[in-house]
Each structure stands twice: as structure tokens, then as C-alpha cells.
Amino acid sequence: MIDLVVKAVPHDAQVILGTVSLHDQKFEDADIIEFTDKLQVLRAGEFESVHATLQPFMDMAADAS
């Protein structure tokens, strides 16, 4: 199933796939992110950088409502 999903991606698109196991599939030209902190996606050391990047978008969304 994973192989089918990856092979069906158009050249001008991206796929975000969440899975517990890749079942020995190899992916070319892919960024694979492995989460290591249980029940956490964002690492504490990355908070400030991510917050600074997203804050303008959150401000625009707040202004639009």
C-alpha cells in the first residue's frame, strides 16, 4: 500500500504520510522525519524558531476574523 501511494504521486505534488512502519520501503528524493519524543511532534529546542515563522500567519488569521 505504501509503495502504491508513493508511486502515484504526481511530479508537482507532495505527500505527507504518517505511519508506524515503512515496511522496508525505500524512498528516493524524500525527507523522512522520525519523531523520537513520545506524544510530541515539536521539540522544545525548536519552539522559538517555529513560533517566529508561524506568528505572521497566525496574526493574519486573527485579523481576518
Side-chain angles (χ1 to χ4, degrees):
M1 186 59 86
I2 293 172
D3 190 47
L4 176 65
V5 168
V6 172
K7 286 181 179 177
V9 177
H11 73 280
D12 60 346
Q14 81 174 7
V15 169
I16 298 173
L17 178 65
T19 181
V20 173
S21 172
L22 293 176
H23 303 283
D24 297 322
Q25 293 293 316
K26 303 295 180 205
F27 301 100
E28 296 178 21
D29 193 31
D31 293 325
I32 298 175
I33 301 169
E34 294 186 31
F35 300 109
T36 56
D37 299 332
K38 188 174 182 175
L39 301 178
Q40 293 181 357
V41 175
L42 180 62
R43 292 176 189 91
E46 297 173 350
F47 178 81
E48 291 299 326
S49 172
V50 172
H51 182 266
T53 300
L54 295 179
Q55 189 61 51
F57 299 106
M58 292 186 292
D59 293 342
M60 286 190 295
D63 291 342
S65 58

